[in-house]
PDB file of all heavy atoms in Angstrom:
ATOM      1  N   VAL A 612     -77.333 233.637  44.476  1.00  0.00           N
ATOM      2  CA  VAL A 612     -77.206 234.273  43.169  1.00  0.00           C
ATOM      3  C   VAL A 612     -77.042 235.768  43.348  1.00  0.00           C
ATOM      4  O   VAL A 612     -77.129 236.250  44.476  1.00  0.00           O
ATOM      5  CB  VAL A 612     -78.498 233.938  42.287  1.00  0.00           C
ATOM      6  CG1 VAL A 612     -78.576 232.488  41.981  1.00  0.00           C
ATOM      7  CG2 VAL A 612     -79.744 234.447  42.960  1.00  0.00           C
ATOM      8  N   ARG A 613     -76.835 236.477  42.286  1.00  0.00           N
ATOM      9  CA  ARG A 613     -76.550 237.960  42.334  1.00  0.00           C
ATOM     10  C   ARG A 613     -77.859 238.670  42.169  1.00  0.00           C
ATOM     11  O   ARG A 613     -78.317 239.011  41.084  1.00  0.00           O
ATOM     12  CB  ARG A 613     -75.656 238.371  41.232  1.00  0.00           C
ATOM     13  CG  ARG A 613     -74.229 237.768  41.310  1.00  0.00           C
ATOM     14  CD  ARG A 613     -73.457 238.022  40.065  1.00  0.00           C
ATOM     15  NE  ARG A 613     -74.128 237.394  38.876  1.00  0.00           N
ATOM     16  CZ  ARG A 613     -73.710 237.665  37.660  1.00  0.00           C
ATOM     17  NH1 ARG A 613     -72.769 238.499  37.363  1.00  0.00           N
ATOM     18  NH2 ARG A 613     -74.337 237.055  36.647  1.00  0.00           N
ATOM     19  N   TYR A 614     -78.512 239.033  43.261  1.00  0.00           N
ATOM     20  CA  TYR A 614     -79.652 239.925  43.237  1.00  0.00           C
ATOM     21  C   TYR A 614     -79.206 241.345  43.101  1.00  0.00           C
ATOM     22  O   TYR A 614     -79.924 242.153  42.520  1.00  0.00           O
ATOM     23  CB  TYR A 614     -80.545 239.651  44.467  1.00  0.00           C
ATOM     24  CG  TYR A 614     -81.350 238.450  44.480  1.00  0.00           C
ATOM     25  CD1 TYR A 614     -80.961 237.337  45.231  1.00  0.00           C
ATOM     26  CD2 TYR A 614     -82.427 238.336  43.623  1.00  0.00           C
ATOM     27  CE1 TYR A 614     -81.787 236.157  45.221  1.00  0.00           C
ATOM     28  CE2 TYR A 614     -83.211 237.160  43.633  1.00  0.00           C
ATOM     29  CZ  TYR A 614     -82.875 236.084  44.403  1.00  0.00           C
ATOM     30  OH  TYR A 614     -83.531 234.936  44.392  1.00  0.00           O
ATOM     31  N   LEU A 615     -78.093 241.646  43.797  1.00  0.00           N
ATOM     32  CA  LEU A 615     -77.502 242.980  43.722  1.00  0.00           C
ATOM     33  C   LEU A 615     -76.101 242.936  43.211  1.00  0.00           C
ATOM     34  O   LEU A 615     -75.504 241.856  43.231  1.00  0.00           O
ATOM     35  CB  LEU A 615     -77.497 243.630  45.144  1.00  0.00           C
ATOM     36  CG  LEU A 615     -78.905 243.744  45.758  1.00  0.00           C
ATOM     37  CD1 LEU A 615     -78.731 244.281  47.223  1.00  0.00           C
ATOM     38  CD2 LEU A 615     -79.816 244.617  45.013  1.00  0.00           C
ATOM     39  N   GLU A 616     -75.568 244.028  42.716  1.00  0.00           N
ATOM     40  CA  GLU A 616     -74.294 244.065  42.213  1.00  0.00           C
ATOM     41  C   GLU A 616     -73.211 243.613  43.105  1.00  0.00           C
ATOM     42  O   GLU A 616     -72.222 242.973  42.714  1.00  0.00           O
ATOM     43  CB  GLU A 616     -74.002 245.515  41.684  1.00  0.00           C
ATOM     44  CG  GLU A 616     -72.683 245.639  40.925  1.00  0.00           C
ATOM     45  CD  GLU A 616     -72.453 246.985  40.413  1.00  0.00           C
ATOM     46  OE1 GLU A 616     -73.417 247.873  40.487  1.00  0.00           O
ATOM     47  OE2 GLU A 616     -71.302 247.337  39.870  1.00  0.00           O
ATOM     48  N   GLU A 617     -73.397 243.895  44.485  1.00  0.00           N
ATOM     49  CA  GLU A 617     -72.323 243.642  45.419  1.00  0.00           C
ATOM     50  C   GLU A 617     -72.422 242.049  45.808  1.00  0.00           C
ATOM     51  O   GLU A 617     -71.485 241.573  46.540  1.00  0.00           O
ATOM     52  CB  GLU A 617     -72.461 244.393  46.649  1.00  0.00           C
ATOM     53  CG  GLU A 617     -73.828 244.367  47.356  1.00  0.00           C
ATOM     54  CD  GLU A 617     -74.817 245.416  46.945  1.00  0.00           C
ATOM     55  OE1 GLU A 617     -74.662 245.858  45.776  1.00  0.00           O
ATOM     56  OE2 GLU A 617     -75.639 245.839  47.807  1.00  0.00           O
ATOM     57  N   HIS A 618     -73.430 241.351  45.468  1.00  0.00           N
ATOM     58  CA  HIS A 618     -73.477 239.928  45.755  1.00  0.00           C
ATOM     59  C   HIS A 618     -72.443 239.167  44.964  1.00  0.00           C
ATOM     60  O   HIS A 618     -72.353 239.360  43.751  1.00  0.00           O
ATOM     61  CB  HIS A 618     -74.886 239.392  45.456  1.00  0.00           C
ATOM     62  CG  HIS A 618     -75.910 239.820  46.468  1.00  0.00           C
ATOM     63  ND1 HIS A 618     -77.298 239.683  46.164  1.00  0.00           N
ATOM     64  CD2 HIS A 618     -75.792 240.493  47.639  1.00  0.00           C
ATOM     65  CE1 HIS A 618     -77.954 240.165  47.293  1.00  0.00           C
ATOM     66  NE2 HIS A 618     -77.084 240.611  48.143  1.00  0.00           N
ATOM     67  N   ASN A 619     -71.709 238.354  45.663  1.00  0.00           N
ATOM     68  CA  ASN A 619     -70.589 237.624  44.965  1.00  0.00           C
ATOM     69  C   ASN A 619     -70.496 236.186  45.395  1.00  0.00           C
ATOM     70  O   ASN A 619     -69.643 235.790  46.161  1.00  0.00           O
ATOM     71  CB  ASN A 619     -69.262 238.265  45.235  1.00  0.00           C
ATOM     72  CG  ASN A 619     -68.096 237.675  44.419  1.00  0.00           C
ATOM     73  OD1 ASN A 619     -68.354 237.148  43.264  1.00  0.00           O
ATOM     74  ND2 ASN A 619     -66.934 237.676  45.022  1.00  0.00           N
ATOM     75  N   PRO A 620     -71.538 235.358  45.063  1.00  0.00           N
ATOM     76  CA  PRO A 620     -71.571 233.931  45.386  1.00  0.00           C
ATOM     77  C   PRO A 620     -70.402 233.160  44.811  1.00  0.00           C
ATOM     78  O   PRO A 620     -69.902 233.595  43.796  1.00  0.00           O
ATOM     79  CB  PRO A 620     -72.924 233.515  44.961  1.00  0.00           C
ATOM     80  CG  PRO A 620     -73.217 234.312  43.733  1.00  0.00           C
ATOM     81  CD  PRO A 620     -72.678 235.662  44.117  1.00  0.00           C
ATOM     82  N   PRO A 621     -70.068 232.050  45.338  1.00  0.00           N
ATOM     83  CA  PRO A 621     -69.039 231.226  44.705  1.00  0.00           C
ATOM     84  C   PRO A 621     -69.624 230.726  43.285  1.00  0.00           C
ATOM     85  O   PRO A 621     -70.801 230.574  43.110  1.00  0.00           O
ATOM     86  CB  PRO A 621     -68.898 229.986  45.637  1.00  0.00           C
ATOM     87  CG  PRO A 621     -69.510 230.436  47.019  1.00  0.00           C
ATOM     88  CD  PRO A 621     -70.546 231.413  46.586  1.00  0.00           C
ATOM     89  N   SER A 622     -68.649 230.558  42.411  1.00  0.00           N
ATOM     90  CA  SER A 622     -69.048 229.995  41.114  1.00  0.00           C
ATOM     91  C   SER A 622     -69.447 228.523  41.355  1.00  0.00           C
ATOM     92  O   SER A 622     -69.116 227.925  42.359  1.00  0.00           O
ATOM     93  CB  SER A 622     -67.914 230.059  40.120  1.00  0.00           C
ATOM     94  OG  SER A 622     -66.809 229.191  40.508  1.00  0.00           O
ATOM     95  N   ALA A 623     -70.141 227.995  40.335  1.00  0.00           N
ATOM     96  CA  ALA A 623     -70.519 226.539  40.409  1.00  0.00           C
ATOM     97  C   ALA A 623     -69.248 225.681  40.548  1.00  0.00           C
ATOM     98  O   ALA A 623     -69.298 224.716  41.292  1.00  0.00           O
ATOM     99  CB  ALA A 623     -71.378 226.218  39.148  1.00  0.00           C
ATOM    100  N   GLU A 624     -68.202 226.035  39.843  1.00  0.00           N
ATOM    101  CA  GLU A 624     -67.007 225.216  39.902  1.00  0.00           C
ATOM    102  C   GLU A 624     -66.400 225.283  41.289  1.00  0.00           C
ATOM    103  O   GLU A 624     -65.900 224.227  41.802  1.00  0.00           O
ATOM    104  CB  GLU A 624     -66.021 225.698  38.862  1.00  0.00           C
ATOM    105  CG  GLU A 624     -66.430 225.453  37.390  1.00  0.00           C
ATOM    106  CD  GLU A 624     -67.521 226.449  36.893  1.00  0.00           C
ATOM    107  OE1 GLU A 624     -67.716 227.457  37.555  1.00  0.00           O
ATOM    108  OE2 GLU A 624     -68.126 226.190  35.869  1.00  0.00           O
ATOM    109  N   GLU A 625     -66.285 226.535  41.896  1.00  0.00           N
ATOM    110  CA  GLU A 625     -65.725 226.728  43.176  1.00  0.00           C
ATOM    111  C   GLU A 625     -66.523 225.927  44.164  1.00  0.00           C
ATOM    112  O   GLU A 625     -66.028 225.278  45.104  1.00  0.00           O
ATOM    113  CB  GLU A 625     -65.639 228.154  43.518  1.00  0.00           C
ATOM    114  CG  GLU A 625     -64.632 229.007  42.684  1.00  0.00           C
ATOM    115  CD  GLU A 625     -64.838 230.406  42.842  1.00  0.00           C
ATOM    116  OE1 GLU A 625     -65.968 230.882  43.277  1.00  0.00           O
ATOM    117  OE2 GLU A 625     -63.870 231.199  42.617  1.00  0.00           O
ATOM    118  N   PHE A 626     -67.862 226.026  44.119  1.00  0.00           N
ATOM    119  CA  PHE A 626     -68.795 225.382  45.025  1.00  0.00           C
ATOM    120  C   PHE A 626     -68.566 223.857  44.943  1.00  0.00           C
ATOM    121  O   PHE A 626     -68.370 223.208  46.027  1.00  0.00           O
ATOM    122  CB  PHE A 626     -70.204 225.771  44.631  1.00  0.00           C
ATOM    123  CG  PHE A 626     -71.203 225.251  45.586  1.00  0.00           C
ATOM    124  CD1 PHE A 626     -71.409 225.755  46.841  1.00  0.00           C
ATOM    125  CD2 PHE A 626     -72.092 224.234  45.157  1.00  0.00           C
ATOM    126  CE1 PHE A 626     -72.392 225.254  47.718  1.00  0.00           C
ATOM    127  CE2 PHE A 626     -73.086 223.740  46.030  1.00  0.00           C
ATOM    128  CZ  PHE A 626     -73.271 224.216  47.247  1.00  0.00           C
ATOM    129  N   ALA A 627     -68.584 223.353  43.691  1.00  0.00           N
ATOM    130  CA  ALA A 627     -68.485 221.914  43.633  1.00  0.00           C
ATOM    131  C   ALA A 627     -67.159 221.400  44.123  1.00  0.00           C
ATOM    132  O   ALA A 627     -67.008 220.354  44.812  1.00  0.00           O
ATOM    133  CB  ALA A 627     -68.692 221.547  42.127  1.00  0.00           C
ATOM    134  N   GLU A 628     -66.055 222.071  43.724  1.00  0.00           N
ATOM    135  CA  GLU A 628     -64.664 221.622  44.151  1.00  0.00           C
ATOM    136  C   GLU A 628     -64.594 221.626  45.658  1.00  0.00           C
ATOM    137  O   GLU A 628     -64.013 220.713  46.261  1.00  0.00           O
ATOM    138  CB  GLU A 628     -63.685 222.567  43.565  1.00  0.00           C
ATOM    139  CG  GLU A 628     -62.247 222.054  43.792  1.00  0.00           C
ATOM    140  CD  GLU A 628     -61.173 222.989  43.169  1.00  0.00           C
ATOM    141  OE1 GLU A 628     -61.568 223.835  42.350  1.00  0.00           O
ATOM    142  OE2 GLU A 628     -59.999 222.845  43.422  1.00  0.00           O
ATOM    143  N   SER A 629     -65.112 222.603  46.332  1.00  0.00           N
ATOM    144  CA  SER A 629     -65.021 222.753  47.762  1.00  0.00           C
ATOM    145  C   SER A 629     -65.869 221.604  48.451  1.00  0.00           C
ATOM    146  O   SER A 629     -65.314 220.922  49.307  1.00  0.00           O
ATOM    147  CB  SER A 629     -65.548 224.090  48.240  1.00  0.00           C
ATOM    148  OG  SER A 629     -65.629 224.174  49.596  1.00  0.00           O
ATOM    149  N   LEU A 630     -66.994 221.395  47.982  1.00  0.00           N
ATOM    150  CA  LEU A 630     -67.893 220.361  48.529  1.00  0.00           C
ATOM    151  C   LEU A 630     -67.344 218.969  48.347  1.00  0.00           C
ATOM    152  O   LEU A 630     -67.341 218.117  49.276  1.00  0.00           O
ATOM    153  CB  LEU A 630     -69.278 220.513  48.083  1.00  0.00           C
ATOM    154  CG  LEU A 630     -70.299 221.365  48.921  1.00  0.00           C
ATOM    155  CD1 LEU A 630     -69.741 222.786  49.036  1.00  0.00           C
ATOM    156  CD2 LEU A 630     -71.647 221.349  48.323  1.00  0.00           C
ATOM    157  N   VAL A 631     -66.998 218.654  47.148  1.00  0.00           N
ATOM    158  CA  VAL A 631     -66.511 217.281  46.765  1.00  0.00           C
ATOM    159  C   VAL A 631     -65.282 216.963  47.576  1.00  0.00           C
ATOM    160  O   VAL A 631     -65.070 215.868  48.056  1.00  0.00           O
ATOM    161  CB  VAL A 631     -66.342 217.125  45.243  1.00  0.00           C
ATOM    162  CG1 VAL A 631     -65.581 215.867  44.986  1.00  0.00           C
ATOM    163  CG2 VAL A 631     -67.696 217.157  44.561  1.00  0.00           C
ATOM    164  N   GLY A 632     -64.314 218.042  47.660  1.00  0.00           N
ATOM    165  CA  GLY A 632     -63.130 217.811  48.388  1.00  0.00           C
ATOM    166  C   GLY A 632     -63.357 217.483  49.809  1.00  0.00           C
ATOM    167  O   GLY A 632     -62.773 216.536  50.407  1.00  0.00           O
ATOM    168  N   GLN A 633     -64.317 218.257  50.529  1.00  0.00           N
ATOM    169  CA  GLN A 633     -64.700 217.940  51.905  1.00  0.00           C
ATOM    170  C   GLN A 633     -65.309 216.485  51.983  1.00  0.00           C
ATOM    171  O   GLN A 633     -65.071 215.891  52.977  1.00  0.00           O
ATOM    172  CB  GLN A 633     -65.622 218.987  52.394  1.00  0.00           C
ATOM    173  CG  GLN A 633     -66.044 218.866  53.795  1.00  0.00           C
ATOM    174  CD  GLN A 633     -64.968 219.367  54.762  1.00  0.00           C
ATOM    175  OE1 GLN A 633     -63.839 219.588  54.387  1.00  0.00           O
ATOM    176  NE2 GLN A 633     -65.320 219.437  56.049  1.00  0.00           N
ATOM    177  N   LEU A 634     -66.236 216.221  51.127  1.00  0.00           N
ATOM    178  CA  LEU A 634     -66.907 214.921  51.098  1.00  0.00           C
ATOM    179  C   LEU A 634     -65.928 213.781  51.026  1.00  0.00           C
ATOM    180  O   LEU A 634     -65.966 212.865  51.875  1.00  0.00           O
ATOM    181  CB  LEU A 634     -67.837 214.873  49.958  1.00  0.00           C
ATOM    182  CG  LEU A 634     -68.757 213.637  49.790  1.00  0.00           C
ATOM    183  CD1 LEU A 634     -69.765 213.569  50.993  1.00  0.00           C
ATOM    184  CD2 LEU A 634     -69.468 213.608  48.519  1.00  0.00           C
ATOM    185  N   ILE A 635     -64.932 213.843  50.164  1.00  0.00           N
ATOM    186  CA  ILE A 635     -63.927 212.820  50.054  1.00  0.00           C
ATOM    187  C   ILE A 635     -63.052 212.680  51.291  1.00  0.00           C
ATOM    188  O   ILE A 635     -62.877 211.559  51.678  1.00  0.00           O
ATOM    189  CB  ILE A 635     -63.143 213.045  48.721  1.00  0.00           C
ATOM    190  CG1 ILE A 635     -64.021 212.834  47.494  1.00  0.00           C
ATOM    191  CG2 ILE A 635     -61.905 212.078  48.758  1.00  0.00           C
ATOM    192  CD1 ILE A 635     -63.254 213.151  46.236  1.00  0.00           C
ATOM    193  N   THR A 636     -62.680 213.835  51.815  1.00  0.00           N
ATOM    194  CA  THR A 636     -61.911 213.806  53.009  1.00  0.00           C
ATOM    195  C   THR A 636     -62.604 213.090  54.175  1.00  0.00           C
ATOM    196  O   THR A 636     -62.036 212.212  54.867  1.00  0.00           O
ATOM    197  CB  THR A 636     -61.533 215.183  53.478  1.00  0.00           C
ATOM    198  OG1 THR A 636     -60.758 215.827  52.437  1.00  0.00           O
ATOM    199  CG2 THR A 636     -60.835 215.263  54.782  1.00  0.00           C
ATOM    200  N   ARG A 637     -63.889 213.418  54.327  1.00  0.00           N
ATOM    201  CA  ARG A 637     -64.649 212.754  55.458  1.00  0.00           C
ATOM    202  C   ARG A 637     -64.961 211.300  55.139  1.00  0.00           C
ATOM    203  O   ARG A 637     -64.924 210.485  56.095  1.00  0.00           O
ATOM    204  CB  ARG A 637     -65.980 213.589  55.604  1.00  0.00           C
ATOM    205  CG  ARG A 637     -65.795 215.016  56.040  1.00  0.00           C
ATOM    206  CD  ARG A 637     -65.172 215.229  57.370  1.00  0.00           C
ATOM    207  NE  ARG A 637     -65.992 214.662  58.392  1.00  0.00           N
ATOM    208  CZ  ARG A 637     -65.678 214.832  59.738  1.00  0.00           C
ATOM    209  NH1 ARG A 637     -64.577 215.415  60.031  1.00  0.00           N
ATOM    210  NH2 ARG A 637     -66.471 214.270  60.663  1.00  0.00           N
ATOM    211  N   LEU A 638     -65.220 210.998  53.900  1.00  0.00           N
ATOM    212  CA  LEU A 638     -65.497 209.573  53.624  1.00  0.00           C
ATOM    213  C   LEU A 638     -64.206 208.730  53.898  1.00  0.00           C
ATOM    214  O   LEU A 638     -64.256 207.646  54.434  1.00  0.00           O
ATOM    215  CB  LEU A 638     -65.883 209.435  52.129  1.00  0.00           C
ATOM    216  CG  LEU A 638     -67.333 209.894  51.780  1.00  0.00           C
ATOM    217  CD1 LEU A 638     -67.485 209.944  50.268  1.00  0.00           C
ATOM    218  CD2 LEU A 638     -68.370 209.007  52.447  1.00  0.00           C
ATOM    219  N   ASP A 639     -63.111 209.272  53.506  1.00  0.00           N
ATOM    220  CA  ASP A 639     -61.856 208.498  53.668  1.00  0.00           C
ATOM    221  C   ASP A 639     -61.520 208.356  55.214  1.00  0.00           C
ATOM    222  O   ASP A 639     -60.996 207.362  55.643  1.00  0.00           O
ATOM    223  CB  ASP A 639     -60.689 209.220  52.960  1.00  0.00           C
ATOM    224  CG  ASP A 639     -60.779 209.081  51.423  1.00  0.00           C
ATOM    225  OD1 ASP A 639     -61.531 208.231  50.929  1.00  0.00           O
ATOM    226  OD2 ASP A 639     -60.105 209.802  50.724  1.00  0.00           O
ATOM    227  N   LYS A 640     -61.822 209.411  55.943  1.00  0.00           N
ATOM    228  CA  LYS A 640     -61.591 209.356  57.391  1.00  0.00           C
ATOM    229  C   LYS A 640     -62.347 208.183  57.985  1.00  0.00           C
ATOM    230  O   LYS A 640     -61.877 207.505  58.913  1.00  0.00           O
ATOM    231  CB  LYS A 640     -61.933 210.665  58.023  1.00  0.00           C
ATOM    232  CG  LYS A 640     -61.776 210.702  59.541  1.00  0.00           C
ATOM    233  CD  LYS A 640     -62.243 212.026  60.139  1.00  0.00           C
ATOM    234  CE  LYS A 640     -62.131 211.958  61.713  1.00  0.00           C
ATOM    235  NZ  LYS A 640     -62.551 213.212  62.339  1.00  0.00           N
ATOM    236  N   HIS A 641     -63.591 207.926  57.538  1.00  0.00           N
ATOM    237  CA  HIS A 641     -64.383 206.865  58.145  1.00  0.00           C
ATOM    238  C   HIS A 641     -64.272 205.610  57.351  1.00  0.00           C
ATOM    239  O   HIS A 641     -64.986 204.630  57.674  1.00  0.00           O
ATOM    240  CB  HIS A 641     -65.836 207.364  58.147  1.00  0.00           C
ATOM    241  CG  HIS A 641     -66.169 208.407  59.136  1.00  0.00           C
ATOM    242  ND1 HIS A 641     -66.267 208.141  60.490  1.00  0.00           N
ATOM    243  CD2 HIS A 641     -66.450 209.678  58.975  1.00  0.00           C
ATOM    244  CE1 HIS A 641     -66.566 209.228  61.160  1.00  0.00           C
ATOM    245  NE2 HIS A 641     -66.651 210.119  60.249  1.00  0.00           N
ATOM    246  N   VAL A 642     -63.386 205.530  56.336  1.00  0.00           N
ATOM    247  CA  VAL A 642     -63.165 204.347  55.546  1.00  0.00           C
ATOM    248  C   VAL A 642     -64.522 203.943  54.912  1.00  0.00           C
ATOM    249  O   VAL A 642     -64.936 202.789  55.039  1.00  0.00           O
ATOM    250  CB  VAL A 642     -62.504 203.243  56.348  1.00  0.00           C
ATOM    251  CG1 VAL A 642     -61.976 202.113  55.365  1.00  0.00           C
ATOM    252  CG2 VAL A 642     -61.381 203.685  57.171  1.00  0.00           C
ATOM    253  N   LEU A 643     -65.205 204.885  54.248  1.00  0.00           N
ATOM    254  CA  LEU A 643     -66.522 204.549  53.593  1.00  0.00           C
ATOM    255  C   LEU A 643     -66.344 204.645  52.169  1.00  0.00           C
ATOM    256  O   LEU A 643     -65.332 205.224  51.631  1.00  0.00           O
ATOM    257  CB  LEU A 643     -67.522 205.581  54.029  1.00  0.00           C
ATOM    258  CG  LEU A 643     -67.906 205.584  55.573  1.00  0.00           C
ATOM    259  CD1 LEU A 643     -68.725 206.854  55.883  1.00  0.00           C
ATOM    260  CD2 LEU A 643     -68.684 204.313  55.862  1.00  0.00           C
ATOM    261  N   GLY A 644     -67.273 203.972  51.401  1.00  0.00           N
ATOM    262  CA  GLY A 644     -67.218 203.932  49.955  1.00  0.00           C
ATOM    263  C   GLY A 644     -67.665 205.325  49.391  1.00  0.00           C
ATOM    264  O   GLY A 644     -67.764 206.267  50.137  1.00  0.00           O
ATOM    265  N   ARG A 645     -67.842 205.351  48.105  1.00  0.00           N
ATOM    266  CA  ARG A 645     -68.207 206.571  47.400  1.00  0.00           C
ATOM    267  C   ARG A 645     -69.630 206.532  47.089  1.00  0.00           C
ATOM    268  O   ARG A 645     -70.063 205.897  46.059  1.00  0.00           O
ATOM    269  CB  ARG A 645     -67.422 206.721  46.127  1.00  0.00           C
ATOM    270  CG  ARG A 645     -65.801 206.902  46.365  1.00  0.00           C
ATOM    271  CD  ARG A 645     -65.543 208.312  46.945  1.00  0.00           C
ATOM    272  NE  ARG A 645     -64.103 208.579  46.928  1.00  0.00           N
ATOM    273  CZ  ARG A 645     -63.368 208.374  47.912  1.00  0.00           C
ATOM    274  NH1 ARG A 645     -63.780 207.804  49.056  1.00  0.00           N
ATOM    275  NH2 ARG A 645     -62.074 208.642  47.858  1.00  0.00           N
ATOM    276  N   PRO A 646     -70.560 207.299  47.790  1.00  0.00           N
ATOM    277  CA  PRO A 646     -71.918 207.350  47.422  1.00  0.00           C
ATOM    278  C   PRO A 646     -72.186 208.246  46.208  1.00  0.00           C
ATOM    279  O   PRO A 646     -71.278 209.039  45.870  1.00  0.00           O
ATOM    280  CB  PRO A 646     -72.606 207.850  48.730  1.00  0.00           C
ATOM    281  CG  PRO A 646     -71.504 208.780  49.240  1.00  0.00           C
ATOM    282  CD  PRO A 646     -70.233 208.035  48.964  1.00  0.00           C
ATOM    283  N   VAL A 647     -73.386 208.201  45.666  1.00  0.00           N
ATOM    284  CA  VAL A 647     -73.769 209.130  44.665  1.00  0.00           C
ATOM    285  C   VAL A 647     -74.029 210.458  45.373  1.00  0.00           C
ATOM    286  O   VAL A 647     -74.753 210.479  46.375  1.00  0.00           O
ATOM    287  CB  VAL A 647     -75.016 208.678  43.887  1.00  0.00           C
ATOM    288  CG1 VAL A 647     -75.611 209.777  43.054  1.00  0.00           C
ATOM    289  CG2 VAL A 647     -74.840 207.481  43.064  1.00  0.00           C
ATOM    290  N   LEU A 648     -73.449 211.552  44.902  1.00  0.00           N
ATOM    291  CA  LEU A 648     -73.691 212.861  45.497  1.00  0.00           C
ATOM    292  C   LEU A 648     -74.789 213.560  44.719  1.00  0.00           C
ATOM    293  O   LEU A 648     -74.665 213.824  43.527  1.00  0.00           O
ATOM    294  CB  LEU A 648     -72.416 213.711  45.544  1.00  0.00           C
ATOM    295  CG  LEU A 648     -72.568 215.183  45.894  1.00  0.00           C
ATOM    296  CD1 LEU A 648     -73.060 215.272  47.363  1.00  0.00           C
ATOM    297  CD2 LEU A 648     -71.274 215.942  45.686  1.00  0.00           C
ATOM    298  N   GLN A 649     -75.854 213.844  45.431  1.00  0.00           N
ATOM    299  CA  GLN A 649     -76.940 214.624  44.769  1.00  0.00           C
ATOM    300  C   GLN A 649     -76.974 215.983  45.237  1.00  0.00           C
ATOM    301  O   GLN A 649     -76.732 216.275  46.496  1.00  0.00           O
ATOM    302  CB  GLN A 649     -78.343 213.952  45.091  1.00  0.00           C
ATOM    303  CG  GLN A 649     -78.553 212.603  44.360  1.00  0.00           C
ATOM    304  CD  GLN A 649     -79.976 212.120  44.521  1.00  0.00           C
ATOM    305  OE1 GLN A 649     -80.811 212.729  45.164  1.00  0.00           O
ATOM    306  NE2 GLN A 649     -80.273 211.096  43.810  1.00  0.00           N
ATOM    307  N   GLN A 650     -77.267 216.974  44.420  1.00  0.00           N
ATOM    308  CA  GLN A 650     -77.431 218.348  44.822  1.00  0.00           C
ATOM    309  C   GLN A 650     -78.711 218.951  44.152  1.00  0.00           C
ATOM    310  O   GLN A 650     -79.146 218.433  43.104  1.00  0.00           O
ATOM    311  CB  GLN A 650     -76.195 219.198  44.358  1.00  0.00           C
ATOM    312  CG  GLN A 650     -74.956 218.758  45.047  1.00  0.00           C
ATOM    313  CD  GLN A 650     -73.759 219.536  44.452  1.00  0.00           C
ATOM    314  OE1 GLN A 650     -73.106 219.093  43.463  1.00  0.00           O
ATOM    315  NE2 GLN A 650     -73.425 220.640  45.078  1.00  0.00           N
ATOM    316  N   GLU A 651     -79.328 219.956  44.738  1.00  0.00           N
ATOM    317  CA  GLU A 651     -80.539 220.484  44.320  1.00  0.00           C
ATOM    318  C   GLU A 651     -80.418 221.938  44.062  1.00  0.00           C
ATOM    319  O   GLU A 651     -81.069 222.820  44.738  1.00  0.00           O
ATOM    320  CB  GLU A 651     -81.599 220.270  45.343  1.00  0.00           C
ATOM    321  CG  GLU A 651     -81.792 218.787  45.740  1.00  0.00           C
ATOM    322  CD  GLU A 651     -82.617 218.585  46.945  1.00  0.00           C
ATOM    323  OE1 GLU A 651     -83.160 219.640  47.526  1.00  0.00           O
ATOM    324  OE2 GLU A 651     -82.791 217.464  47.398  1.00  0.00           O
TER     325      GLU A 651
END
């Protein structure tokens, strides 16, 4: 999060898109199903 003005974390949308994309790529590589993705 932004504690200081110069902090620039990814937006929730950017974060989710990046993670889900990587997850699907790896699942498909191993020919696995689609698990529930939990985040905290």
Side-chain angles (χ1 to χ4, degrees):
V612 296
R613 296 171 298 170
Y614 285 105
L615 301 176
E616 187 176 353
E617 60 265 29
H618 288 165
N619 186 32
S622 68
E624 292 77 14
E625 292 169 337
F626 183 72
E628 184 176 352
S629 174
L630 266 61
V631 171
Q633 180 79 349
L634 182 68
I635 291 174
T636 297
R637 298 296 295 186
L638 288 169
D639 288 347
K640 177 181 177 180
H641 289 287
V642 195
L643 295 168
R645 296 286 192 267
V647 172
L648 172 62
Q649 290 189 356
Q650 294 176 275
E651 303 168 5

